Amino acid sequence: MAIGPGRWLQSHICRPGFLELLCRYRLVLARCIRRGQWDVIGLRLGATYGWHNVSSTRTAAFSGFSNNLSASYQARSVQLFGEAGYQIDVRPARLELFAGLAYVNLSTPDFAESGGVAALRIKGNDSNTTFSTLGMRGDTQFRMGQMQATLRGTLGWRHAFGDVTPTSTNAFISGSPFPVSGVPIARNAAIVSAGLDMQISQQATLGIYYEGQFGSGEQQHGVNASLSVRF
């Protein structure tokens, strides 16, 4: 069992003339992962539990009216996942066919905004989503001048079922409840990733990675870099 160092996520939603929303999430994970390898067959099982501290501010404004509103609350998330893989040695590359299944639960409590008559009361909610993934990943090693390098890539298909559209029940302080729906998760999406690890010294490795997801009317792209140093 390992406790992660924490991670900050930040998102902005802006609607000119009406709403500006800023949320910050701090996530601390308790994680447990087990791996097994039998010749060319691999099995990986794991679970994570997350605690989220969320704070938000928004401005509701139109002609002759303006409210600066804020709220804070805590949420939790649980993820259970498993994956089986079959390795294929195609020298100088190594390939693996894999199938995975992941269950994600996100639970948020009741909370209320403060700051004016436009403040909302939001009812707590539990969402449950399951993801199945089929695909192939591979890697190969080569030299870049004096450095040892590893090129990695993944290509797969992901299907989501369960609560794929985020919803909440809101109400103004003196009004009746009304539902709000967010942007749905793509039920079917292609996933693509590529990365390059470069061993810049005996103790240090520099990595650059790309991850993409392509669904019906939806695309997500991410690029990150890492530096690992062994002591």
Side-chain angles (χ1 to χ4, degrees):
M1 181 76 73
I3 303 298
R7 178 180 174 188
W8 284 96
L9 303 176
Q10 182 169 295
S11 64
H12 299 265
I13 302 175
C14 297
R15 298 178 184 175
F18 177 68
L19 178 66
E20 181 177 340
L21 176 64
L22 169 63
C23 298
R24 288 190 177 93
Y25 306 80
R26 188 173 186 181
L27 173 61
V28 179
L29 285 178
R31 176 180 298 173
C32 182
I33 300 175
R34 292 291 181 267
R35 296 181 175 90
Q37 187 72 38
W38 297 271
D39 195 15
V40 296
I41 303 296
L43 182 63
R44 305 160 195 100
L45 301 172
T48 63
Y49 188 97
W51 297 268
H52 310 254
N53 292 321
V54 185
S55 61
S56 66
T57 60
R58 69 182 180 97
T59 300
F62 51 86
S63 180
F65 178 86
S66 178
N67 271 176
N68 295 316
L69 308 165
S70 62
S72 62
Y73 62 94
Q74 294 184 334
R76 66 169 180 82
S77 61
V78 177
Q79 178 175 338
L80 306 174
F81 56 91
E83 183 183 89
Y86 180 83
Q87 290 187 0
I88 304 172
D89 194 4
V90 185
R91 297 183 183 275
R94 181 179 56 183
L95 303 178
E96 183 183 56
L97 304 176
F98 67 90
L101 192 66
Y103 163 78
V104 181
N105 168 266
L106 176 64
S107 179
T108 57
D110 296 347
F111 68 95
E113 294 180 312
S114 60
V117 296
L120 293 172
R121 292 179 287 114
I122 292 88
K123 183 176 177 59
N125 186 47
D126 272 277
S127 63
N128 299 278
T129 311
T130 303
F131 299 89
S132 60
T133 307
L134 298 173
M136 179 176 65
R137 63 171 63 96
D139 63 73
T140 185
Q141 295 185 343
F142 60 97
R143 297 199 67 83
M144 295 179 61
Q146 300 299 315
M147 294 186 300
Q148 183 71 26
T150 302
L151 182 65
R152 310 179 190 277
T154 301
L155 180 63
W157 170 80
R158 177 172 294 158
H159 177 67
F161 46 98
D163 297 328
V164 297
T165 301
T167 60
S168 66
T169 301
N170 301 350
F172 291 105
I173 299 302
S174 58
S176 300
F178 58 91
V180 175
S181 298
V183 178
I185 300 170
R187 285 191 176 273
N188 296 286
I191 56 172
V192 179
S193 69
L196 179 65
D197 290 327
M198 296 167 287
Q199 188 174 350
I200 56 180
S201 72
Q202 290 186 346
Q203 291 79 30
T205 301
L206 176 65
I208 302 174
Y209 309 97
Y210 163 80
E211 292 184 355
Q213 180 172 300
F214 303 85
S216 177
E218 176 187 353
Q219 294 185 17
Q220 296 181 14
H221 304 275
V223 178
N224 62 75
S226 67
L227 177 63
S228 301
V229 180
R230 296 185 299 273
F231 297 96

